[in-house]
Amino acid sequence: MMGNPLWLIARRSFAEGWVRLAATLLAALGSIALIAGSLQFALRAQEAVAGGDASEYFRADVLVQGGTVDPDNVYAPPDGRIRLDRLASRPGVAAAAGDAAVAVTASRPDGQAIMAAAEGRTLLRPWVPDPQLNPYQLEAGRAPSGDGEVAVVRHLARAGELSVGGTMTLTLPHRTQQVRISGIVNVQGRGAVAAGDLVLASPETVQRAAMLPAGTWQSVWLKAAPGVPAERLRGELARELAQEPGGVTVRTAESVRRVQLATASGEGTTIAGIVGMLASVAIFVGLFVVANTFGTLVRQRTRRLALLGAIGATPRQIGRLIRLEALVLGAIAAVGGVAAGFPVSELIIRLFARDGFDVSGSDPQTGWIALTLPAVAGILVTQGAAWQAAYRAAGVSPVQALRSTVAEPRERRLPRLLFGGAILAGAVAWYAVAAAIRAAEPPGPDRTFVIALMVLFGSLMAVTGLAVLTPFFVKPLGGLVGRVGRLVGGETGRLAHATVTRSPRRVSSAASSLMLGVALVASVALVTISVHDRFREAGRQVMAAEHAITSTARTAEGAPAPIARDVAAKLAGAPGVSRAAVLTQTEVTLVPPVPDGSPQERPEPFRFLVSGAEQSGLRDVLRLGGRPPALGTGEIALSSAVMKGQGLRRGQEIVVRGVHGRTTLTVAGTYHDPSHLFADQALVAAETMDRLDANAPTRAVLVRGGSTEALTRAVAGVPGVRVLGRDAYVDAASQSQTRALRSTYVFVGMALLLALFGMATTVSMSVAERTREFGLLGAVGATTRQIRAIIRWEAATVVVLGTLLGLAIAMGTLGLLHVMSGSSFLRPDPPWWLFPLVLTGAAVATLVTSALPARRAAAVPVLEAAKAE
């Protein structure tokens, strides 16, 4: 290997041109670091969501749950009740313990909410005193012994910086309570369980919070007596309790643990897949940037490559030389990029944690997937990027070794046109898939997400196709800029026009990087502005209340966390308040009617959110489209989308399954919530909500009248709540709807930095390859100011070309999203100030990246220029 002539030539190229190679190396390292950081974040998110194999049921053998359970949601509470004393004394039972779960919000003493583990919730559960069933291992302190004492899992303690003996605030469905921490526990060595974080209190405290009658529980854990198999005990109990009023569900704890593990694993895979799709933008940008820098690197060495051909090197050997250099660069960049991926992932984790998705409790991943896959991907990216450069290098004619300056050879237009057209045809194919999905699937968030993904892939291919065709746009735009330059700068403008039109590929390399950056920024900006403007417009249309009382904490989706229902009572005496309406929400499942005759296939369950509000004076705080009637107990109003999608009609009786079991409701009317924030799918009276879920979380208290100062004073004694105006509340409530959009900010921002670095590298290298040219201009009388002006006029061509193409892609992407999805939230109606702002940003970025190369070009000595390659 060491005696191979190609290796010796490559080694000399590295030794003599390490400065030029360093720029390409940094571009490759940045792209690999982004790939490695994205993968590290995806793996840590998967581990955090999955929660490992920790389960609170690992000591139990059988679970007896009151009523029925949702077979598709292992974490949903059972809809019935079961008495503990009916099971504790049965034959074959060694131990029994009651269990219930109440969703709460935990806050630190300073009022700051503590986020649960990724995609999880914080649940209040009873401490299990029987050691045969207790899954909680104390790490510090002791078990809670009375009202006002709790033990917490390790993740909650670390996230909230809590310690034994300290205090924290719990926001329960109906009240807020300050509690003292008596102990910190783990479950099977883990800091949390698959469902999220646990706050453990005395059984009596949890019974009161869950509004359970004395002696009854949502479920009962059982330990089988020695010699009694769990499956046998389950079967015996199922037969004995078959006639229990309200019914019971009997399952082995092992089967529940398997479902938990499968559910958590599926959620983790979904999160990893979404992050992987976002990271694909980074891979694309990395390939794009490295391809540009490699192409510029080959152009710089045209004469040397031509000399190699003149002394007998075959085109195949020259191509292998370029690929060998790319392999060495890729290997070095892979090592550095994988190492840099760890701090990149920490940055991504911190940014996501601020938005409610906290995976900081997971450990850094050091398995072969986390380390090997980014390295292999980086090498493949550099090899893929070097393919075109190697092909071009192999076609360098030996005659070019005799030229005094580096000039681009004339290339055939047809192959470039065909190649660019084929890529654009591929983009059209992705758009056609999006159109087919729109025609085949019903409207909804899932359809919109898939369509957006198809349009994204199509737009990435469109960027690539336009990058291939960019040299064809350089001459006409260069001519336009040149004419302006001649009018403004005279002879300097003419020289700038000549340099631009003589080397279109060099200009197009920098312009394509700028085009990619403008397309990324403008696309995200256009979508963000459109979505936020539509939410604000619709929110003002629906929300008649001037203020909303909401939580300072956020859910995992980014929306405000629930608050205690008793907050509304504190507003009754506030000056100027004419109406305070509690807005609650719960999820129910529509129970399909059982047809007579032969059994049919079980239909897909339809789950939907039901909002509850006091009907008296509802129109004082909410203006829903369609003006639904005042609802009585047992009545429900459905959105027009739900009515149409489920084939329901006014006056029809439906059965829904909620937390308290099955409830029959009458469809009293239809309406429309254009904001999708207050009562997106269904609306019931407060009394009906108590029948569905007495502990339904309170999303907000909507207030008509009063001032911000008066309302703030009224709730001053309630920790973790805030008073928001109409627009502020709409912005906060829409966070859960725009979470997917916000997730792109981190990756697009990093990809933008990589694209700008690629543009700066390309501009710098293109100036370096013309060292001889600029030196000779100085020799014949060109001043330093004139040489800098030539570089600036060339940069102006880059700005015009890159900005126009980037904005065209961004507007086309938003227009396609609007047409394909049919969503009013994706409207191609940008504000007038966006275009000059993007143009100014592109100009500033280009001028900043070209300032140093221009100064270096103007300072080239004549003798150094004469020696330049």
Side-chain angles (χ1 to χ4, degrees):
M1 178 68 180
M2 297 303 294
N4 190 307
L6 286 180
W7 170 254
L8 295 176
I9 294 172
R11 189 174 66 176
R12 182 176 179 182
S13 297
F14 273 95
E16 295 181 354
W18 65 269
V19 175
R20 294 178 298 185
L21 291 170
T24 306
L25 177 64
L26 288 175
L29 190 148
S31 63
I32 296 171
L34 194 47
I35 295 170
S38 302
L39 179 62
Q40 184 75 208
F41 173 72
L43 293 175
R44 291 183 64 173
Q46 184 176 11
E47 180 192 3
V49 172
D53 56 356
S55 172
E56 62 271 40
Y57 303 123
F58 81 96
R59 292 191 186 277
D61 292 319
V62 175
L63 298 182
V64 181
Q65 299 171 298
T68 60
V69 295
D70 188 344
D72 300 299
N73 185 1
V74 68
Y75 304 120
D79 59 18
R81 302 293 177 260
I82 186 75
R83 291 192 63 85
L84 178 61
D85 55 13
R86 295 285 304 274
L87 300 170
S89 59
R90 286 184 177 269
V93 175
D99 183 37
V102 179
V104 298
T105 301
S107 302
R108 300 194 310 188
D110 60 3
Q112 182 178 350
I114 306 171
M115 298 303 302
E119 291 297 291
R121 300 177 297 167
T122 302
L123 299 175
L124 180 68
R125 303 282 287 270
W127 178 267
V128 180
D130 195 318
Q132 298 181 79
L133 287 169
N134 188 356
Y136 311 118
Q137 178 67 42
L138 280 166
E139 295 183 353
R142 57 175 176 80
S145 58
D147 194 21
E149 284 191 345
V150 298
V152 298
V153 292
R154 184 174 63 220
H155 176 272
L156 189 66
R158 289 182 177 178
E161 300 178 354
L162 306 175
S163 58
V164 174
T167 61
M168 70 175 183
T169 301
L170 284 183
T171 301
L172 302 166
H174 292 270
R175 60 191 176 90
T176 301
Q177 180 182 6
Q178 189 176 65
V179 295
R180 184 169 298 279
I181 300 166
S182 65
I184 298 174
V185 304
N186 67 66
V187 181
Q188 293 184 280
R190 299 277 185 171
V193 294
D197 287 341
L198 300 181
V199 177
L200 306 169
S202 66
E204 297 76 17
T205 300
V206 177
Q207 271 188 324
R208 286 193 298 270
M211 302 182 70
L212 295 171
T216 63
W217 294 94
Q218 293 174 352
S219 61
V220 173
W221 301 359
L222 299 178
K223 185 71 174 178
V228 178
E231 184 58 39
R232 192 179 85 186
L233 180 60
R234 186 207 65 80
E236 293 174 352
L237 290 173
R239 287 190 295 271
E240 293 175 13
L241 300 173
Q243 303 304 318
E244 189 78 12
V248 295
T249 301
V250 186
R251 299 191 286 180
T252 62
E254 176 62 28
S255 68
V256 176
R257 290 196 296 269
R258 286 198 301 266
V259 175
Q260 279 184 330
L261 187 59
T263 301
S265 178
E267 291 176 351
T269 302
T270 300
I271 292 294
I274 293 173
V275 174
M277 286 186 291
L278 293 173
S280 65
V281 177
I283 298 174
F284 173 79
V285 173
L287 181 63
F288 199 94
V289 169
V290 176
N292 259 350
T293 53
F294 259 107
T296 306
L297 190 62
V298 169
R299 283 201 312 272
Q300 282 185 306
R301 300 164 58 199
T302 298
R303 296 185 68 212
R304 173 168 293 185
L305 296 174
L307 285 172
L308 290 176
I311 62 176
T314 65
R316 183 178 180 183
Q317 288 176 317
I318 294 176
R320 286 172 57 195
L321 173 64
I322 299 299
R323 286 191 290 271
L324 177 61
E325 292 179 355
L327 178 63
V328 175
L329 276 175
I332 298 173
V335 175
V338 170
F342 287 95
V344 169
S345 69
E346 290 295 335
L347 174 62
I348 297 174
I349 287 171
R350 289 195 178 194
L351 293 174
F352 270 79
R354 292 173 55 187
D355 198 38
F357 185 73
D358 185 8
V359 300
S360 58
S362 59
D363 297 322
Q365 303 296 297
T366 56
W368 69 271
I369 293 179
L371 301 180
T372 306
L373 193 59
V376 172
I379 293 174
L380 291 177
V381 164
T382 53
Q383 285 293 302
W387 177 82
Q388 177 64 19
Y391 176 79
R392 190 175 298 158
V396 174
S397 170
V399 177
Q400 295 188 47
L402 304 177
R403 295 183 179 178
S404 60
T405 59
V406 177
E408 291 183 3
R410 293 180 59 85
E411 66 173 350
R412 292 180 295 172
R413 299 166 61 91
L414 184 60
R416 183 176 285 271
L417 283 171
L418 291 176
F419 185 48
I423 297 176
L424 291 178
V428 173
W430 282 110
Y431 298 145
V433 172
I437 293 172
R438 176 195 168 113
E441 298 295 329
D446 292 337
R447 188 186 77 168
T448 301
F449 176 76
V450 176
I451 287 176
L453 195 61
M454 298 301 103
V455 172
L456 171 64
F457 290 154
S459 297
L460 291 180
M461 291 200 72
V463 168
T464 307
L466 286 177
V468 172
L469 299 175
T470 300
F472 295 120
F473 305 122
V474 171
K475 286 194 175 182
L477 280 176
L480 176 62
V481 174
R483 281 192 288 272
V484 175
R486 282 198 296 272
L487 291 174
V488 176
E491 186 63 22
T492 301
R494 189 188 68 79
L495 288 174
H497 172 260
T499 59
V500 168
T501 56
R502 182 168 56 88
S503 303
R505 286 208 306 268
R506 182 179 63 227
V507 176
S508 66
S509 295
S512 59
S513 292
L514 181 62
M515 172 187 67
L516 179 59
V518 169
L520 287 172
V521 171
S523 296
V524 173
L526 285 169
V527 173
T528 301
I529 291 171
S530 176
V531 170
H532 282 221
D533 285 351
R534 178 54 184 160
F535 268 121
R536 184 162 297 183
E537 174 189 329
R540 290 173 177 172
Q541 176 184 343
V542 175
M543 184 175 171
E546 292 92 355
H547 298 91
I549 313 299
T550 187
S551 174
T552 57
R554 286 180 292 179
T555 64
E557 293 78 21
I563 61 175
R565 205 173 298 183
D566 62 358
V567 171
K570 300 180 182 298
L571 302 171
V577 174
S578 60
R579 183 72 60 186
V582 175
L583 189 66
T584 57
Q585 194 175 76
T586 190
E587 185 180 69
V588 300
T589 302
L590 180 65
V591 179
V594 180
D596 297 331
S598 59
Q600 297 184 356
E601 184 179 351
R602 177 173 173 260
E604 188 75 17
F606 176 68
R607 298 183 183 88
F608 60 102
L609 293 175
V610 178
S611 299
E614 182 65 45
Q615 296 298 293
S616 175
L618 178 63
R619 291 177 184 174
D620 292 338
V621 294
L622 288 180
R623 293 186 294 258
L624 297 172
R627 297 179 66 86
L631 302 172
T633 303
E635 292 183 334
I636 185 171
L638 297 173
S639 70
S640 53
V642 172
M643 291 278 279
K644 181 179 178 181
Q646 300 302 310
L648 303 175
R649 65 183 184 278
R650 186 175 300 178
Q652 180 178 349
E653 286 192 346
I654 62 174
V655 179
V656 298
R657 186 176 68 237
V659 173
H660 299 320
R662 299 192 177 199
T663 304
T664 301
L665 302 173
T666 302
V667 179
T670 183
Y671 69 95
H672 176 53
D673 178 6
S675 69
H676 304 283
L677 299 177
F678 301 95
D680 186 26
Q681 295 178 297
L683 179 67
V684 297
E687 296 78 12
T688 306
M689 178 60 78
D690 288 338
R691 290 171 55 185
L692 297 174
D693 184 358
N695 274 338
T698 300
R699 293 302 176 190
V701 178
L702 305 179
V703 184
R704 185 71 180 266
S707 64
T708 302
E709 294 76 13
L711 297 177
T712 302
R713 288 193 297 270
V715 298
V718 183
V721 299
R722 55 182 173 170
V723 180
L724 297 178
R726 182 185 293 117
D727 289 344
Y729 176 71
V730 169
D731 288 341
S734 64
Q735 295 296 303
S736 62
Q737 308 281 352
T738 58
R739 176 184 173 184
L741 179 61
R742 295 194 308 277
S743 300
T744 65
Y745 295 167
V746 177
F747 297 96
V748 168
M750 292 185 177
L752 174 63
L753 291 177
L754 193 56
L756 291 178
F757 176 79
M759 184 182 70
T761 300
T762 304
V763 171
S764 179
M765 293 174 70
S766 67
V767 170
E769 77 176 88
R770 290 183 289 163
T771 299
R772 184 186 185 92
E773 178 182 331
F774 290 126
L776 292 176
L777 283 175
V780 297
T783 64
T784 298
R785 184 176 179 181
Q786 287 175 320
I787 294 176
R788 290 182 183 178
I790 291 173
I791 303 296
R792 285 195 293 269
W793 281 113
E794 187 172 323
T797 306
V798 170
V799 169
V800 173
L801 182 57
T803 304
L804 287 178
L805 293 178
L807 287 175
I809 292 170
M811 285 297 297
T813 299
L814 182 59
L816 284 169
L817 284 173
H818 175 68
V819 172
M820 297 293 184
S821 67
S823 173
S824 61
F825 287 80
L826 299 171
R827 298 177 294 187
D829 184 23
W832 66 268
W833 49 263
L834 180 63
F835 296 120
L837 181 63
V838 171
L839 180 62
T840 302
V844 170
T846 306
L847 291 175
V848 168
T849 55
S850 62
L852 182 59
R855 180 170 298 181
R856 288 170 49 197
V860 173
V862 177
L863 293 179
E864 182 180 333
K867 296 186 296 180
E869 186 178 316

